[in-house]
Amino acid sequence: GVNRMKVEVHFLGQPEILIDHVRLTITQKKIEAMLLYILFNGTCTRDELVAIFWCDCDEEGARGNLRNSLYKIRNLIGKYFLLTGGRSYISLNPEVEIFRDTDLFIMENSEQRLLELNRFCFLDKYYLKNCPGFEEWVCSMQNTYERLLRERLLPAMRGSFKKGDHVITTYAEHNSVLRPLYQLEKANIITLSITSPTVEGIKKNLQKNTKMIIVTHSSNVTGEIYPIAEIGKLAHENGILMMSDTAQSAGNLLIDM
């Protein structure tokens, strides 16, 4: 059965599925992608899954692949994890307790927890060959959560500053970080300095009213690693808050808080 089964799904950044706090490993990426799709949506039709994941197969072959994939998921997690509505629908068993990190965007009073997230991009760099429907869905969700991030984090960030505070950030930041800062600057709540992601660049822009330093750990374009430990030490020595976007590095590099 599935009594008291707890499932935690991380869609932001690199995906991760935890069953009763144990990470689930799926070697076949298409099966993992389909499971992520079902976990996000809750209920799907067989036609929908066939169209998204096996658009390059004939109908009989595609439906055979779907049956085989569902069989493997049930063997991996449990036969009651997924329910079927006749021959049309597939849904999560309602007895399964599921938490999605994306739920934070629709939960009340979750701004502080959103600020504590270190990954924001939906299924970041998660690609699936020959599945344009899946790629379109991922791209759509990325745009949706970038917009939600701005809508939810802007008020939260606004609450972190008082009028006249100075913020230092870098030209290497992702748009999901820069856009809320631009809006705070436009609203005359903060003054903003944008510099290079180096200790020297940050040091040159320090002011008496600098409240926060925001710097990414690594570039999402070049992969370059930036010296956040040294920048963090500089911030600490000057009594300045520091925020770092580790969406590209968390899980790939050792991070010692």
Side-chain angles (χ1 to χ4, degrees), residues 103-117:
D103 291 344
L104 290 172
F105 288 92
I106 57 174
M107 290 167 57
E108 292 185 3
N109 305 315
S110 62
E111 285 79 8
Q112 187 56 45
R113 290 181 68 185
L114 282 169
L115 284 171
E116 292 168 1
L117 288 175

Side-chain angles (χ1 to χ4, degrees), residues 45-136:
T45 67
R46 289 177 182 266
D47 289 343
E48 177 184 351
L49 294 173
V50 162
I52 289 175
F53 294 100
W54 291 282
C55 64
D56 56 342
C57 297
D58 61 67
E59 185 173 352
E60 184 179 350
R63 290 189 178 277
N65 288 332
L66 174 59
R67 283 193 299 272
N68 185 48
S69 298
L70 292 172
Y71 175 78
K72 288 181 178 179
I73 288 172
R74 287 186 171 116
N75 272 353
L76 195 62
I77 303 175
K79 63 180 180 178
Y80 298 110
F81 180 71
L82 296 177
L83 302 178
T84 53
R87 299 180 64 181
S88 300
Y89 292 91
I90 296 157
S91 62
L92 296 174
N93 191 320
E95 293 183 18
V96 174
E97 185 180 337
I98 183 166
F99 170 77
R100 307 169 181 87
D101 57 0
T102 50
D103 291 344
L104 290 172
F105 288 92
I106 57 174
M107 290 167 57
E108 292 185 3
N109 305 315
S110 62
E111 285 79 8
Q112 187 56 45
R113 290 181 68 185
L114 282 169
L115 284 171
E116 292 168 1
L117 288 175
N118 58 19
R119 302 172 291 187
F120 297 113
C121 185
F122 187 90
L123 296 188
D124 190 28
K125 296 182 178 65
Y126 191 83
Y127 304 113
L128 203 58
K129 291 181 180 178
N130 303 318
C131 290
F134 181 76
E135 295 297 322
E136 288 173 11

Side-chain angles (χ1 to χ4, degrees), residues 149-162:
L149 180 68
R150 293 197 304 272
E151 291 175 358
R152 293 297 300 272
L153 277 192
L154 182 60
M157 291 179 72
R158 193 188 299 259
S160 299
F161 303 111
K162 65 179 186 295

Side-chain angles (χ1 to χ4, degrees), residues 178-201:
L178 289 173
R179 285 174 183 166
L181 292 173
Y182 290 149
Q183 288 180 280
L184 289 170
E185 182 184 37
K186 188 175 181 181
N188 293 318
I189 294 172
I190 65 168
T191 57
L192 185 63
S193 296
I194 300 179
T195 184
S196 63
T198 63
V199 175
E200 295 74 22

